[in-house]
Amino acid sequence: MDVIAAISTANALSAIGIVRVSGEGCFALCDKIFQPAGGGLFSVSRSREMVLGRLLDQEGRVVDSCLAVRFPGPASYTGEDCAEFHCHGSPVVLGEALSALFAAGARQAGRGEFTKRAFLNGRMDLTQAEAVIDLIESETAQAARNAVEQLGGALRSRIEPVYDGLLDSASRFYAVVDYPDEDIEDLTREDTLAALNRAERTLETLLATAGRGRILRQGVPTAILGRPNVGKSSLLNALVGYDRAIVTDVAGTTRDTVEERAAVGGVLLRLIDTAGIRETRDEVERLGVERSRRAAEAAELALLVLDGSQVMTEEDHAAAEAARMVPRTLVVINKSDLPRRLEPAALEGLGPVLSVSAREGTGLEALERAVGALFPPGAAPAGEVLTNARQTEALGRALEAVRGARSALLGGLTPDAVLSDVERAMN
Ligand code: GDP
């Protein structure tokens, strides 16, 4: 495959930035732009060892003094010859280094193309390739742990035995199908049934993790509910960890779709409709009964905020009613730095009650723990949580086909009917 190159690190000032190349003939190409300080050619330097040298542009001007390293294929990330240049992390320097590689004959790598090559060259399977992007995009430690285990092949090693079991059943059936006059022997039937049952159990176990996986990857849709001035905005700032105005005037977006994300107690929360909380000046809209109802409808977690220094009002009750629509609620009694006047008897049964001061930042750790307790990591080992919609959908279809094969077998259907379902499951 042709030589591809890309800047692999973020486009921001940093101490080090990395430019990566991969493809047949890439070492000769690197020789055109990189001169080892110790003399000699980079293409014959020791593999997997850093070489100090000068990176040159087309005119021979020095772009950077940097380190380079060779990863000869097939034991490289992509499975082909690869090299990396560890430059000083200026976007300008990295851009020039990349241009030099283009001038020498490389082309810009597409998004994910290094990993795509790794997949095409058999360095990883699809679950692992998908784990790469999950790991890069992970926003909590738990999500990262799951992705790194999948990258190591955890999911694959759960699915492979299922596949092998089905393959084994299928091969027994090929024989039967070739001699259609024969009955399915009892032994074949027993073994196949056992294999199908095992497959079903594993697929069910994996599929049961998909809900948790969605939370790991996308976060918990969360509504902060409460009447004006109880401190929703202050709590939001405390959770997100910094003060910032939301940019809402982006063409094509409405205020209702603006959301922020915060890792709270190890759980990624997707805070719904925070624009309404932060920005609405209009008093009528600030009451936001309709708004909070809509936010509550979409939420899996409600943070019901009350002002502990005031007695309950009608509006507090209205907010509590909205919170009742949400599967899980935490009652957050704010302004604990002020004398307490709230008597939350009316909040019975809504959910755990916590006392915080958003202004002083007190009680937030207990809030974090409470969120973590509502969304525990679950029993599935890291790496065996399905975070990917394609994987979930594919396993769902496999499970359906396994069940179809079993009904066909038990219902005395012809061997080819059983076989076609087994093959569907394997696909
Ligand atoms: P929102 O309308 O629910 O978003 O409430 P804000 O976050 O805008 O807060 C309303 C008022 O309450 C502001 O003046 C805040 O400074 C104040 N406030 C918020 N949290 C606290 C707190 O924990 N203690 C005290 N004393 N005041 C608070």
Side-chain angles (χ1 to χ4, degrees):
M1 278 183 260
D2 59 345
V3 178
I4 53 172
I7 298 170
S8 299
T9 42
N11 182 25
L13 299 188
S14 50
I16 296 166
I18 297 174
V19 177
R20 184 159 57 155
V21 283
S22 176
E24 213 172 302
C26 83
F27 296 147
L29 191 150
C30 292
D31 277 342
K32 295 190 203 165
I33 68 149
F34 184 75
Q35 288 180 341
L41 287 176
F42 173 63
S43 56
V44 295
S45 65
R46 294 177 66 130
S47 60
R48 291 162 223 287
E49 269 184 31
M50 292 283 200
V51 179
L52 177 67
R54 298 190 308 171
L55 204 152
L56 309 172
D57 70 10
Q58 242 177 319
E59 273 85 53
R61 286 177 304 215
V62 179
V63 171
D64 195 9
S65 165
C66 67
L67 291 166
V69 59
R70 292 194 317 123
F71 301 99
S76 68
Y77 182 76
T78 59
E80 14 175 76
D81 285 350
C82 287
E84 285 175 11
F85 297 95
H86 293 228
C87 300
H88 291 97
S90 143
V92 177
V93 168
L94 296 170
E96 286 205 51
L98 192 61
S99 299
L101 283 165
F102 292 163
R107 70 162 170 83
Q108 173 68 50
R111 201 174 127 79
E113 197 170 1
F114 288 93
T115 304
K116 182 178 172 188
R117 288 190 173 190
F119 168 68
L120 292 175
N121 291 324
R123 299 292 293 165
M124 48 177 83
D125 73 1
L126 200 48
T127 65
Q128 292 169 301
E130 286 169 334
V132 173
I133 193 70
D134 280 359
L135 182 55
I136 292 170
E137 291 181 349
S138 57
E139 292 178 78
T140 60
Q142 273 176 25
R145 263 197 297 279
N146 193 61
V148 80
E149 291 297 328
Q150 281 186 11
L151 183 57
L155 194 54
R156 165 208 198 131
S157 65
R158 285 283 274 157
I159 291 168
E160 254 168 10
V162 172
Y163 185 88
D164 292 345
L166 293 172
L167 181 63
D168 193 46
S169 305
S171 45
R172 287 163 199 261
F173 270 82
Y174 288 127
V176 184
V177 170
D178 285 344
Y179 301 96
D181 292 339
E182 311 259 318
D183 263 351
I184 303 173
E185 281 171 37
D186 283 349
L187 201 62
T188 304
R189 186 191 303 276
E190 287 301 305
D191 285 352
T192 304
L193 212 49
L196 291 174
N197 286 337
R198 271 197 307 276
E200 182 179 37
R201 272 197 305 277
T202 306
L203 292 173
E204 279 173 347
T205 306
L206 287 172
L207 278 165
T209 66
R212 174 74 202 157
R214 203 163 38 83
I215 288 174
L216 268 189
R217 196 173 152 72
Q218 297 173 8
V220 180
T222 303
I224 301 183
L225 302 175
R227 67 171 165 81
N229 284 320
V230 291
K232 297 183 296 298
S233 175
S234 308
L235 180 68
L236 176 62
N237 283 336
L239 290 179
V240 175
Y242 55 94
D243 227 323
R244 91 178 142 126
I246 305 176
V247 183
T248 54
D249 296 330
V250 181
T253 68
T254 69
R255 290 202 321 198
D256 287 354
T257 63
V258 173
E259 61 173 41
E260 288 181 65
R261 302 155 84 82
V264 177
V267 181
L268 181 66
L269 300 187
R270 232 170 62 212
L271 300 152
I272 304 169
D273 192 25
T274 54
I277 294 171
R278 286 212 220 247
E279 295 219 323
T280 312
R281 299 272 182 284
D282 176 348
E283 261 319 299
V284 179
E285 227 194 273
R286 258 170 80 79
L287 294 179
V289 177
E290 180 58 22
R291 260 205 126 93
S292 37
R293 208 178 53 75
R294 261 183 294 140
E297 269 171 10
E300 278 174 39
L301 171 67
L303 301 179
L304 173 63
V305 186
L306 300 162
D307 182 343
S309 70
Q310 313 255 313
V311 293
M312 284 279 285
T313 69
E314 275 306 307
E315 293 168 59
D316 286 324
H317 285 292
E321 279 317 304
R324 282 190 202 281
M325 297 167 43
V326 183
R328 295 181 178 84
T329 296
L330 290 176
V331 181
V332 182
I333 300 180
N334 189 32
K335 310 196 186 182
S336 63
D337 52 301
L338 300 176
R340 175 76 168 259
R341 290 183 61 207
L342 184 84
E343 284 171 32
L347 302 170
E348 291 285 311
L350 261 172
V353 178
L354 297 129
S355 175
V356 309
S357 167
R359 176 180 282 178
E360 314 270 312
T362 51
L364 294 177
E365 282 124 36
L367 177 60
E368 296 229 353
R369 279 196 299 277
V371 171
L374 285 181
F375 299 93
E384 295 180 19
V385 178
L386 292 181
T387 53
N388 178 292
R390 184 197 67 79
Q391 294 166 6
T392 306
E393 196 264 344
L395 290 188
R397 277 185 295 142
L399 178 59
E400 193 198 316
V402 163
R403 287 175 176 159
R406 191 180 46 200
S407 322
L409 191 64
L410 293 175
L413 290 185
T414 53
D416 58 311
V418 181
L419 185 59
S420 103
D421 274 334
V422 171
E423 283 177 336
R424 205 153 54 85
M426 287 164 64
N427 281 337

